[in-house]
Amino acid sequence: MIPHKIIRLRGDWYDNLLGDYLLPKYDKLRTIFREKRHSIAQTSTTYRVINHWSEIGLINKDTQQGSGWRKFSLIDLVWIYIIKDLREYGMPLGALKHTKESLFHRGVKENTVYFELFMTLAFLKKKVLIVVAP
């Protein structure tokens, strides 16, 4: 089976947009995206499903400082909704793992900056299309 990949656009416009997003003027937005303050109830997904997805590596196993209660960032919430949508379309869990790797792993353990850039565009009411294809 050929793993699913994310089609990534490249070029000067993309590099400029990414470079602009990394400027200090977007520090507050990046903090808002990354802050772990949302509960599992906001995912409209069961604890059992979230725990299963965590065990297989689709979502991170982060918990809040020893309390045992899981907290999510906006990045996590958006990713969970993407997982749910792709599952409804019949995408297998293994293909979802490849999709996550394409979105979040860029030669480091976990790097969400590319995904955050697309989230920023969506929040700015720009059209964002992530195509997942075999």
Side-chain angles (χ1 to χ4, degrees):
M1 176 179 166
I2 299 172
H4 291 66
K5 295 283 183 186
I6 297 298
I7 297 171
R8 292 170 286 211
L9 300 176
R10 293 281 184 218
D12 290 342
W13 72 272
Y14 179 81
D15 293 334
N16 290 337
L17 191 62
L18 183 60
D20 189 44
Y21 177 71
L22 295 174
L23 291 175
K25 67 181 181 179
Y26 288 106
D27 285 348
K28 186 173 182 178
L29 182 61
R30 285 193 303 272
T31 299
I32 291 168
F33 282 163
R34 295 173 183 173
E35 185 180 17
K36 302 275 186 180
R37 60 186 209 108
H38 303 281
S39 70
I40 201 164
Q42 292 173 283
T43 67
S44 69
T45 305
T46 67
Y47 286 92
R48 188 174 197 176
V49 169
I50 293 293
N51 287 336
H52 177 65
W53 289 348
S54 291
E55 290 300 317
I56 64 172
L58 279 180
I59 56 177
N60 295 335
K61 294 183 181 183
D62 299 334
T63 58
Q64 186 172 354
Q65 303 172 354
S67 69
W69 293 102
R70 192 182 313 241
K71 292 292 183 180
F72 297 99
S73 67
L74 281 175
I75 295 165
D76 298 328
L77 291 179
V78 170
W79 174 236
I80 288 168
Y81 280 103
I82 289 172
I83 292 171
K84 288 173 60 174
D85 286 348
L86 292 174
R87 289 294 291 153
E88 284 182 23
Y89 286 114
M91 181 176 272
L93 294 173
L96 280 166
K97 278 187 81 169
H98 289 293
T99 301
K100 180 185 180 193
E101 290 167 7
S102 293
L103 280 173
F104 296 118
H105 299 268
R106 300 275 190 241
V108 293
K109 184 179 177 190
E110 186 84 10
N111 185 352
T112 61
V113 72
Y114 294 94
F115 192 66
E116 290 173 43
L117 177 62
F118 293 120
M119 284 179 54
T120 301
L121 292 172
F123 279 107
L124 293 172
K125 306 238 188 259
K126 304 287 184 185
K127 291 183 179 180
V128 176
L129 177 65
I130 298 175
V131 178
V132 180

